[in-house]
Structures are given as C-alpha cells and as structure tokens.
Amino acid sequence: MKISYNWLKQFVQIDQTPQELSLILTNVGLEVESVDKVQPVAGGLEGLVVGEVLTCVQHPNADRLRVTTVNIGGKENLQIVCGAPNVAAGQKVVVATVGTTVYPLEGEPFKIKESKIRGEVSQGMICAEDEIGLGKSHDGIMILSTDTEIGILAKEHFQLNDDHVFEIGLTPNRADAASHLGVARDLAAYFKSEYQMPDLSSFKVDNDNLVIPVEVEDLIACPRYSSLTISGVTVSESPDWLKDKLKIIGLRPINNVVDVTNYVLHGFGQPLHAFDADKIAGGKVLVKKVAEGTPFVALDDVERKLSADDLMICNTEAPMCIAGVFGGKTSGVDADTKNVFLESAYFNSVSVRKTSKRHGLKTDASFRFERGTDPEIPVTALKYAAILIKELAGGEISSPVSDIYPNQIKPFEFEVSYSNINKLIGANIPSAEIKHIITALGISATSTSDDVLALRVPSFKVDVTRECDITEEVLRIYGYNNIAIPTKINASLSNSSRPDKENTQNVIADMLTANGFAEIWCNSLTKSAYSKNLDEAVFILNPLSSDLNVMRQSLLMPALESVAYNQNRKNADVKFYEYGKTYHLINEKYVERPRLLLLISGATQSEQWNQSTKSASFYNLKAAVDAVISRLGITTYQSDVLQDENFAYGIKYFRGDKTLVSFGAATKADRKQADVNAEVFYADFDWAGLLDIVKKNKIVNKDVSKYPQVRRDLSMLVDKGITFDSLKGIAFKTDKKLIKEVGVFDVYEGDKLPEGKKSYALNFILQDEEQTLTDKQIEQIMQKLIANLTQQAGAEIRK
C-alpha cells in the first residue's frame, strides 16, 4: 500500500522527516518496506529556469529557426536557437540550461548540450509543455505571464513539491489503516495530537431535480447503500493538484469525476463509484443478485458470466457494476456525461472476496471491501466527494442523500483491566497512559472501577474484539522498543522428553541434505482450490488475497509450486524436502498435523561423456523413504499398495491402523493445477507418528557375530497378485531366529511363463548367533521354507 508523506500532512501535523516517520510507522505496526522520493513530474523540472526573451531574429541559414537572446538572471545572457513558431521578444519562457536532463512526455530523456545548429551556437532550449512533462501540447513554447520573476526555478514557479511515498506492508487485520486517514489516526495517537477531517460544512443539496430511487434486495451482502446525484457536470481533465496526488501513489488520472472517487478512496479508505445517471435504464437502481450465467462486460472490455452469488448494481434492465469489485463498460462516466449518480456503500467482506476470487479481479476497491471497511463512513465520504465534484466539474447536487441502512452495525462492547494488559505486555504502564492511548485510537473508554475499563470499539476497528486485541493496540502505540528487557530470567529445570524432536529432525535433515535434497519452506497459506476436502478446510477471515485464503491441508501443492518455479527457470532436476504442518477443522476443532515431505522430479544424474541422463523414478523415492525409516531405527512395519486419490500410484508403510508414510507418483490433476509438466514423485510422512515410534525404541548394543552368514537362493513361480512383501513375511514366520534377511534379485513376467504367473528370484541370509550352521540345519530350514511358500503362497519352486 502506497502512502504519500505530503498527503498525510493534510490529516495530521508532522514535523518529522520522511525517514524519521518511516521508523515511527514501523514501530506502530505499519511496517514500511521502502521510502521513495517521488516527483509529480518526471525529473522534477530540475535544471529548468524562467527566462525572458530579449531578442528574436531570423536564423541566417534556416527559414524555420530563430536565434534568440535569453536572460535567465545570470551574469551573461544565453543565445538559444529555437524552432517554435510562437517565440518572440519580450516573452517569459521556461529554459533548459546546458547540462539539464529533460524528460519529455513521450520518448526517452535527453541531456541539453551546447551545440551549433546550422552554424549558430545554441546554449540551451526554450521548452514546450510536452517537452518537460507538463502537458500534451506541442504547438509552441510555453509562454508565462509577464510578471513572472526572471531566474526563478521552474519547479518553484509551478509549485512542484517533492514528495516521499511509503510502501507499507499492510497486514490483513489492519483494514482500518488502508488509507491516509487510517495511517493518520495511528500517528495522531502516537504524537498525542489530533487528526483533522475535511470540512463538510459547504455541502448542501441544491435541488431535487434528479432523484434516482434505490432498492436493496440483499441486505446481508449490502448492509448499507448511500447515494446522491449531481447534475450539469462538465467532465474534463483534473487540475494539476489532483493529478499529482494520484500519480504520486501510482494511479493514472482519468477525468475529474473518476479522479475524485479515487482520491476519496485513498484518502478515507471508502470506495466510491460514479455512474452516468443518464445511462441508468428505468431511472432506478437495484442492488441484487442476478441469474446464473448472465453476461456482463466490465471496464476491461472482458465479457464474464456472472454467478448467482455475485452481488450486482443494476438498472431495471441489466447489471451495471460488480458490487465492490469492478465497474461496467457501458455505465461509467465519460467525456459526454452530464449527470452523475454517486454511490458510497458498505458491502459484506465475504461476498466481495468470493466474487473477486471467482472472476480473478483484484482492485483497490475489492482490496478494502474484502478486509472490511468502516460501515459508518459512507455518507461522510459521499458528501466530501460531492463537494469536490462540484468544485472541479461544476453542476448541482440534485437529490438528497439516500442512505439505506436498516440494521445499524453496533460497535463491539467489552471490558478490559489495566492489570491484565500490563501482565500480557510484561511492563507496568501507568493506567492513565493506557486509557489515553485507547481513547486516542478512537475507542470510547469508561472506567467502571479502578482496574476496569468498559470499551466501545468503533466500527472501523474490525479486528479489535477482545482484551488481547486492546493489549496489542496499546503496545504498538506505547512502543515495543519501550518495553525494557528484564535483567533477571526465571527458569525451571525440566526433564526433556525423548526423543529430542529438534535433534531428530536435524539428523534426518542432515541425511537428506547429504543425499542431494534441498530443504524448502513453503507458505502455510494457500488457495482453497488446492483443498480436496473443503469441509475440513481452515479459512482465513481476512486473507491478503484469494490465493492465500486457506491453511494448507497438504504439503504437496505448495511444494509443486516450488517445482514449477524452478522448472520455469531451467532448473528441472529437483530433490526437495520440507518439515511443516497441515491444518484441519475436524468436528469443530482445529487440528495441526506435523508432516515431512520428500519430493523428486527430473533427472537423478546429469548427462556426462560416459553416461546418459537418467530420469528419477519411483524407486529413487523409495530408496530415500527407506533411508529415512532406517535412520529412525524403525524396523518393523507392513507395506501395501496405496489406494489414495492423492497419488497416481504408490505404496504405504503402516503399523496396525496407523500409516507411517505414503509415497508414490503425484496425480496429473495436481501437477496440472500447479503448472508442472514433468512427472513428480513424493512421500508424505506422518512425522508425529514416527516420533511416537522412535520414542519407544530401545537401543541395544551387541557384539558382531563371530559365526558366518549363509546365503541360499530360490527361484519360484507365483500368481501375479502375490507381492514380495507377502513372501518376505512367510519367510520370517518360518524361522525368526535364523533367517536374518530376505531380498529379491530378479522379477520376470512374460509370454514364456504360464498365463497369470510371474517369476521371483529371492535370496535368504541365514545365521546363528551361537554356532556355525551345518549343512543339515540349512537344508532343514530351506525345506521348511519351500513347504511354507508352496502352501501359503501357491509357489512353484523352479529347479
């Protein structure tokens, strides 16, 4: 959000420099991300001075050029060659001296140099208004009034004042500060002064010749709707002061009527909309929702299909404006407009946010309505805008103020105690100062006892509803830096639980990093479109945008955005891991679940002279998953084929009814949502569940066996539905003591085998910790193993 230093001074007295003020703003909770010196005209007219043309004669070598002598108040006059048809002796003009950089309205800036033009020396340039960015005319040079002082700087003559713009990183809860007035309120509280509101005493209704009735059909989506009409306006270019105000904060001036609405929006934080009253069919305004699929062409010339949930400002025939979001193409104010219908409303924040998100429209108006505007300011803003429009565009206010506000929004009322506020802050702030800060912020406070205040919070403080909110308000105005750091820290000894969560997390992180994974840290806020179970979604009350309106339910989608970001920058081979939480609303309770995500995409090795590129596969991911499980010391678990909508295919490791990790390939639908074209493999660990298992692990030290291991191999035919995991389980059940390991070294399926069959080649590692195994013992174990495999898995042992 951009805030102008000079504009702030219209609301509150400021003696500090822009740099000093930026620190104050940050201290009161309005973090200043940057402070930029800006000028309403490019270049700020630096190096331009007022001069007087003393002589003007025909150029001896050019019919269209003249040689002039110009006095700019210096020791010597300047000779300047000029091609303007209207230059003449005796004129007061704007002169760009040698060395000045000129910033024309169109084209690149250029530097003035002393040069010869057709043989005559030219020591500067007499300027036209478009050559210095003051206008569009290029018919001739600018001619100033005859009483203009010679030698005065052009920026002083035209009263151009440098300004500074603060870029404020406004947090979602500070809707009250989304304007110059809102920022001024905080500064006034900090300075212990008063802020000034514009004078509305000149507002008066001139006649009732253009009364346009309004009917609000949806009072939930539009609790308040105020309006009036102004007739006989002349739509034209805005005066310089208004254009400069808007350009300073990055807005493009349009015309005097529309510019006033933008000026009031950024001044008061109240969005307005001006309609051409003659284009309101039926002479009536209806605030309602329209039928699903109704076509509507907005100011951007794009036709959109409206939803039945979109609140619209309509005439008797068609919608004219998306309420609180964007105006219509055919109903706005243009150069031919003579009569204006001016709207100032309070729209439901949820309704505006959903509509804005649905149509992908983010405007200055929707930015404020989505966070919650002040329901008590629409009429004030409406009157001020009407005064300005009359001043700049003429006309008469031709209707009384229409204010539809049947269900007045009451201020929040609750009690706070001085002792609780000081307890939360950790300091002893005098009660009188606490009360002064509260009242300076516009909150009505009445003492009910020595320690208790009864508060009435004004409507513009949409985020202040509890004692802890008041504590935050007091603390930011009092100053975080004014809270002393205690000289004594009290602590109690406690036994740390095993395992140490941070240490365990770091051990796995170090292992993954050593194996080529990079740690990422994604935003916990994401878009609701990523949520596959909206009933469990945790929505943000005042989101920064529609793309950050819900807490993530999975680590995958933000990580896929990171994959897309890297792949779009030619970094297609990625191996990521992230520790994070997912957030759910289950049975009206908020649940946070710690997770660990592994993700692989692209190639596992780059192309070399002696090897080709090798794409990542499911088995690369499985190796990483097995490494994590092994490093945590988890040896007993089961596996099964994954049946989960979040995976195209995969496997899960589980114990009983608890899944330890699910891993496999990301679905095409998920990859498409994040604009990822390459195949992606990922694993989703239940980190809390893994830590619970690690907590129960017992560390046992034992000597390395001095008796040798024996390997035996078996090749067998089994049904295609038989998995290696099931064969492994049968083997360990056969002899848990002597069979130490089971591995698979070959799998074959093909037309050389009977239909519905596949071939496994397994190896078995046998070892006795107490003695060397004899051939007879080994043979007995293998025969028992063959029998069990035949009986339980239907295996046919191949000789």
Side-chain angles (χ1 to χ4, degrees):
M1 181 183 72
K2 296 183 185 298
I3 293 294
S4 160
Y5 176 72
N6 290 340
W7 199 339
L8 276 178
K9 289 182 175 181
Q10 294 179 204
F11 291 99
V12 63
Q13 178 163 343
I14 299 173
D15 299 322
Q16 289 74 15
T17 66
Q19 288 69 30
E20 292 170 340
L21 189 65
S22 71
L23 296 176
I24 293 172
L25 288 171
T26 298
N27 288 338
V28 300
L30 299 174
E31 183 180 0
V32 176
E33 297 175 345
S34 65
V35 183
D36 297 314
K37 182 178 179 179
V38 292
Q39 297 157 322
V41 174
L45 304 185
E46 296 291 344
L48 303 180
V49 296
V50 174
E52 181 180 16
V53 180
L54 301 178
T55 65
C56 178
V57 297
Q58 183 67 44
H59 192 293
N61 302 317
D63 294 339
R64 296 187 178 182
L65 298 178
R66 290 171 176 79
V67 180
T68 65
T69 304
V70 182
N71 174 19
I72 61 169
K75 293 181 180 179
E76 296 181 0
N77 297 329
L78 303 180
Q79 179 174 298
I80 299 176
V81 177
C82 181
N86 63 333
V87 64
Q91 294 173 338
K92 298 289 180 69
V93 294
V94 177
V95 178
T97 56
V98 172
T100 297
T101 299
V102 175
Y103 294 81
L105 201 61
E106 296 181 359
E108 296 298 320
F110 58 92
K111 193 171 185 179
I112 301 298
K113 300 178 181 179
E114 182 174 327
S115 60
K116 282 189 176 183
I117 302 177
R118 294 289 185 90
E120 295 294 325
V121 173
S122 183
Q123 298 172 305
M125 182 176 79
I126 302 176
C127 303
E129 63 179 39
D130 69 325
E131 291 173 329
I132 54 176
L134 288 179
K136 299 179 181 180
S137 174
H138 193 68
D139 295 336
I141 59 171
M142 291 186 72
I143 300 174
L144 309 179
S145 62
T146 55
D147 59 352
T148 305
E149 180 183 347
I150 297 172
I152 188 174
L153 295 176
K155 65 185 300 181
E156 294 181 12
H157 172 74
F158 291 107
Q159 297 181 343
L160 291 186
N161 295 317
D162 292 341
D163 201 351
H164 289 78
V165 170
F166 304 101
E167 185 68 48
I168 294 178
L170 193 68
T171 52
N173 64 315
R174 293 304 312 277
D176 62 299
S179 65
H180 287 77
L181 171 61
V183 174
R185 272 195 297 250
D186 277 5
L187 290 176
Y190 180 86
F191 293 141
K192 297 182 179 179
S193 62
E194 299 290 332
Y195 64 89
Q196 303 296 323
M197 289 291 288
D199 183 14
L200 302 181
S201 60
S202 62
F203 176 84
K204 70 181 182 69
V205 178
D206 298 302
N207 55 63
D208 57 0
N209 296 337
L210 187 60
V211 176
I212 297 180
V214 177
E215 182 179 331
V216 179
E217 295 185 6
D218 191 334
L219 289 170
I220 295 176
C222 179
R224 186 173 193 179
Y225 193 91
S226 307
S227 62
L228 56 75
T229 61
I230 306 172
S231 61
V233 301
T234 301
V235 177
S236 62
E237 189 176 336
S238 295
D240 289 341
W241 72 264
L242 179 54
K243 290 191 293 184
D244 291 346
K245 288 286 187 188
L246 299 180
K247 286 190 286 187
I248 285 291
I249 59 172
L251 296 182
R252 179 177 62 88
I254 299 172
N255 60 53
N256 48 5
V257 174
V258 175
D259 290 350
V260 164
T261 64
N262 285 328
Y263 178 71
V264 173
L265 162 64
H266 289 273
F268 285 9
Q270 172 60 38
L272 306 175
H273 192 73
F275 298 87
D276 188 324
D278 297 327
K279 297 176 183 177
I280 300 177
K284 184 177 183 180
V285 171
L286 303 172
V287 184
K288 64 177 185 177
K289 295 174 180 177
V290 297
E292 183 76 29
T294 301
F296 178 74
V297 180
L299 288 170
D300 58 1
D301 288 323
V302 176
E303 181 178 297
R304 294 174 172 85
K305 300 296 183 183
L306 299 175
S307 165
D309 294 325
D310 293 334
L311 185 69
M312 303 297 295
I313 312 300
C314 308
N315 55 40
T316 58
E317 297 177 0
M320 301 186 295
C321 174
I322 304 176
V325 181
F326 212 31
K329 179 69 175 177
T330 60
S331 61
V333 172
D334 55 32
D336 298 325
T337 298
K338 298 301 179 187
N339 302 308
V340 173
F341 175 84
L342 194 59
E343 163 198 287
S344 179
Y346 172 73
F347 296 116
N348 180 279
S349 60
V350 175
S351 174
V352 173
R353 182 166 61 248
K354 288 182 176 179
T355 296
S356 173
K357 175 191 170 186
R358 188 179 296 119
H359 297 293
L361 290 170
K362 303 302 295 184
T363 61
D364 287 337
S366 67
F367 175 86
R368 287 156 179 81
F369 280 128
E370 287 180 28
R371 285 155 179 75
T373 56
D374 180 6
E376 298 303 318
I377 206 171
V379 171
T380 300
L382 185 71
K383 289 180 177 180
Y384 185 51
I387 292 171
L388 290 177
I389 290 174
K390 278 187 64 177
E391 177 185 329
L392 304 182
E396 298 179 331
I397 298 176
S398 297
S399 74
V401 173
S402 169
D403 186 23
I404 301 174
Y405 192 22
N407 304 312
Q408 188 167 357
I409 297 173
K410 297 180 179 179
F412 291 108
E413 295 185 357
F414 55 93
E415 292 185 343
V416 298
S417 72
Y418 296 121
S419 58
N420 282 347
I421 290 174
N422 280 324
K423 182 179 178 181
L424 285 170
I425 291 175
N428 188 23
I429 303 175
S431 299
E433 185 160 3
I434 291 176
K435 186 175 181 180
H436 173 79
I437 291 173
I438 291 173
T439 55
L441 290 170
I443 302 170
S444 173
T446 305
S447 299
T448 59
S449 70
D450 290 342
D451 188 50
V452 178
L453 280 176
L455 304 181
R456 284 173 58 89
V457 181
S459 53
F460 60 80
K461 288 279 186 187
V462 295
D463 69 314
V464 180
T465 59
R466 302 168 296 170
E467 188 173 57
C468 59
D469 298 328
I470 287 293
T471 303
E472 182 184 357
E473 294 290 287
V474 170
L475 181 55
R476 65 185 183 81
I477 300 300
Y478 181 76
Y480 291 94
N481 295 335
N482 293 326
I483 305 300
I485 298 175
T487 56
K488 181 178 70 172
I489 298 177
N490 297 324
S492 58
L493 295 176
S494 61
N495 294 322
S496 59
S497 59
R498 182 183 174 278
D500 185 296
K501 293 181 180 180
E502 286 74 21
N503 183 60
T504 304
Q505 180 171 314
N506 289 338
V507 166
I508 299 301
D510 289 344
M511 184 196 74
L512 291 170
T513 301
N515 282 276
F517 284 82
E519 185 172 10
I520 60 173
W521 193 9
C522 298
N523 198 339
S524 296
L525 300 178
T526 186
K527 60 179 72 173
S528 56
Y530 288 162
S531 298
K532 295 183 178 178
N533 186 355
L534 286 175
D535 292 336
E536 290 188 5
V538 180
F539 283 91
I540 305 302
L541 294 179
N542 293 302
L544 285 169
S545 72
S546 59
D547 286 342
L548 298 171
N549 66 339
V550 70
M551 303 291 284
R552 63 185 175 188
Q553 291 178 295
S554 166
L555 301 188
L556 174 64
M557 296 310 298
L560 285 179
E561 289 182 349
S562 297
V563 173
Y565 183 89
N566 279 267
Q567 290 180 347
N568 291 338
R569 287 156 181 79
K570 306 302 180 183
N571 183 29
D573 307 329
V574 295
K575 296 171 72 176
F576 292 150
Y577 71 93
E578 180 185 10
Y579 289 100
K581 291 181 179 180
T582 60
Y583 304 86
H584 312 266
L585 180 61
I586 301 175
N587 297 327
E588 299 183 356
K589 292 183 178 180
Y590 293 105
V591 178
E592 297 182 11
R593 293 172 177 166
R595 315 294 293 184
L596 167 62
L597 177 86
L598 305 188
L599 184 146
I600 299 176
S601 182
T604 56
Q605 61 186 31
S606 59
E607 186 177 11
Q608 302 290 339
W609 67 272
N610 61 347
Q611 66 181 19
S612 59
T613 301
K614 193 172 183 180
S615 297
S617 70
F618 168 81
Y619 296 101
N620 295 115
L621 176 68
K622 183 178 184 299
V625 170
D626 290 343
V628 171
I629 295 294
S630 175
R631 188 67 184 82
L632 291 172
I634 300 173
T635 57
T636 57
Y637 55 86
Q638 297 168 284
S639 64
D640 197 1
V641 176
L642 195 59
Q643 302 294 333
D644 191 324
E645 65 173 347
N646 297 308
F647 294 85
Y649 59 86
I651 291 176
K652 67 175 180 179
Y653 290 166
F654 62 96
R655 272 189 175 185
D657 60 348
K658 292 186 177 180
T659 299
L660 306 182
V661 57
S662 300
F663 58 98
T667 64
K668 287 185 179 180
D670 286 341
R671 288 192 284 116
K672 184 178 180 180
Q673 267 196 304
D675 291 328
V676 176
N677 297 321
E679 193 165 18
V680 175
F681 302 94
Y682 77 100
D684 181 19
F685 290 85
D686 178 3
W687 187 246
L690 292 175
L691 290 177
D692 287 340
I693 294 173
V694 173
K695 186 188 303 183
K696 300 173 184 176
N697 281 353
K698 293 182 179 180
I699 299 174
V700 178
N701 298 313
K702 64 178 182 179
D703 294 332
V704 176
S705 177
K706 57 184 177 181
Y707 301 105
Q709 295 181 343
V710 178
R711 169 173 168 159
R712 290 291 184 268
D713 298 340
L714 285 178
S715 179
M716 64 195 76
L717 282 177
V718 295
D719 292 338
K720 284 188 175 181
I722 300 297
T723 64
F724 166 69
D725 196 57
S726 62
L727 298 176
K728 184 178 177 181
I730 293 170
F732 283 128
K733 287 179 182 179
T734 298
D735 196 317
K736 295 181 179 178
K737 180 182 178 183
L738 300 182
I739 298 178
K740 301 298 184 182
E741 297 178 25
V742 180
V744 56
F745 62 89
D746 188 43
V747 180
Y748 175 75
E749 295 182 45
D751 54 7
K752 295 180 181 180
L753 297 179
E755 186 177 353
K757 296 289 186 178
K758 62 181 174 180
S759 172
Y760 270 124
L762 307 182
N763 61 59
F764 303 89
I765 305 298
L766 291 75
Q767 185 182 39
D768 193 327
E769 304 287 345
E770 299 173 354
Q771 62 180 358
T772 301
L773 288 171
T774 65
D775 291 341
K776 185 177 180 180
Q777 288 175 304
I778 295 169
E779 184 61 25
Q780 286 176 345
I781 294 170
M782 294 306 297
Q783 289 300 320
K784 185 178 179 182
L785 180 59
I786 290 171
N788 288 341
L789 290 170
T790 302
Q791 293 172 8
Q792 298 179 33
E796 179 184 340
I797 306 301
R798 305 178 72 181
K799 304 298 184 182

